[in-house]
Amino acid sequence: MLIRRARKEDYPYFAAIEVEHPGYPAWGVKGFEAEENNRNAVTLTAEEEGRPAGFINFWILRPQVQLNTLAVGRDFLRRGAASALIGKMLEYAAKNLCLEIDLEVNEHNAAAIALYAARGFAVVGKRPKFYNNTDAALLMRRTLPAKDL
Ligand SMILES: CC(C)(COP(=O)(O)OP(=O)(O)OC[C@H]1O[C@@H](n2cnc3c(N)ncnc32)[C@H](O)[C@@H]1OP(=O)(O)O)[C@@H](O)C(=O)NCCC(=O)NCCS
């Protein structure tokens, strides 16, 4: 599996991956394109079998990193793609001298919560009715002493 910076031609694959996860907030091609104008933004893809198997987007807002979106295609689930993308984000965070990574996750998204917990994130707060005015968002955070990487 290759983790690399995303390119324009990857975005239709990302949009297709989003559609495979009903209910997951979708950015669509335009959303990923808009990130190209944000100099704090990093979008990466996990390439598998010659095509994008998943993506991650985060903002480097030193001393914080904000994880915005992360998804993996159905054919590639449970093969370590998300974990590898998070690992690369941690490298970016360390290189940019960031001290914490923050994210929001739907309280009912057991897979993502398990993934983040396995990568050292802890729940630090909750926003009621965050998604569609019904589901709460859990705020999860990982602090980043460089020696833990
Ligand atoms: C959450 C998601 C990104 C995980 O992607 P993935 O590539 O399958 O995850 P990985 O293979 O790297 O899994 C790493 C670890 O996370 C946990 N995990 C991942 N999926 C899980 C699931 N369905 N149930 C329980 N634990 C899970 C496990 O600890 C797993 O390690 P293991 O496979 O050795 O048990 C994927 O399910 C997805 O795209 N979901 C829809 C979009 C989404 O919810 N994104 C998160 C937004 S906050």
Side-chain angles (χ1 to χ4, degrees):
M1 183 180 314
L2 169 71
I3 307 295
R4 60 164 173 81
R5 290 294 282 247
R7 302 188 285 258
K8 223 178 236 330
E9 58 266 32
D10 299 323
Y11 302 158
Y13 288 95
F14 296 174
I17 289 168
E18 290 178 322
V19 170
E20 289 179 356
H21 299 288
Y24 186 68
W27 282 13
V29 169
K30 283 192 164 28
F32 288 101
E33 277 173 356
E35 289 298 283
E36 291 179 359
N37 300 320
N38 177 353
R39 61 192 185 87
N40 298 315
V42 178
T43 307
L44 305 174
T45 188
E47 191 179 297
E48 188 76 338
E49 297 168 15
R51 64 182 165 116
F55 61 79
I56 192 168
N57 171 281
F58 53 91
W59 292 342
I60 297 173
L61 305 167
R62 200 190 300 173
Q64 189 210 38
V65 171
Q66 172 70 38
L67 169 50
N68 298 311
T69 186
L70 163 68
V72 172
R74 233 188 272 149
D75 292 346
F76 299 100
L77 290 171
R78 292 310 277 272
R79 294 206 219 162
S83 195
L85 287 163
I86 290 174
K88 186 56 86 175
M89 174 180 64
L90 292 170
E91 283 179 28
Y92 273 81
K95 277 190 192 136
N96 286 280
L97 307 176
C98 291
L99 300 176
E100 63 181 43
I101 300 179
D102 287 328
L103 61 88
E104 284 135 11
V105 57
N106 188 305
E107 61 179 336
H108 299 305
N109 191 345
I113 293 167
L115 165 74
Y116 295 134
R119 294 305 312 232
F121 287 79
V123 176
V124 293
K126 190 169 175 171
R127 290 204 178 111
K129 298 188 178 178
F130 187 77
Y131 298 102
N132 297 324
N133 213 23
T134 49
D135 296 350
L138 299 183
L139 309 183
M140 297 186 79
R141 174 170 298 158
R142 173 169 166 162
T143 49
L144 273 178
K147 63 182 168 52
D148 284 359
L149 290 176

